[in-house]
Amino acid sequence: MPPNQSNLFEEAMRKLLPELFQASPDLLLKLVTQANPQDLRARGVEVHRVVHTPGSFIVTMPNVYHSGLNTGFNVAESCNFGALPWLRFSKDVLKWY
């Protein structure tokens, strides 16, 4: 989903899973919960699908939620990094955390 959808996404997740958020208010930080994209779209969240092909890279921009699903044999690596222009987002992230 695009960065401008993060607040709408968070609101939709809280409405979809109120009992989980009540038990764990920081649920979205734990990387353990997914929602059906159709349920998110029904709540106005813009959702996109990306197919990761061999030899390609996917960069997750600041303020973006993402999830993944493997449908077969998988060998994967990930690397967290931040480009210098992204530093301006760091204050907001610290407040959010």
Side-chain angles (χ1 to χ4, degrees), residues 29-57:
L29 302 179
K30 295 183 179 182
L31 307 177
V32 296
T33 306
Q34 290 186 335
N36 185 323
Q38 292 176 348
D39 290 337
L40 294 172
R41 286 187 181 119
R43 286 162 176 78
V45 180
E46 187 180 335
V47 179
H48 296 271
R49 177 177 179 248
V50 176
V51 177
H52 191 183
T53 57
S56 67
F57 295 91

Side-chain angles (χ1 to χ4, degrees), residues 17 28 60 67-68 71:
L17 306 166
L28 294 177
T60 305
S67 67
T71 58

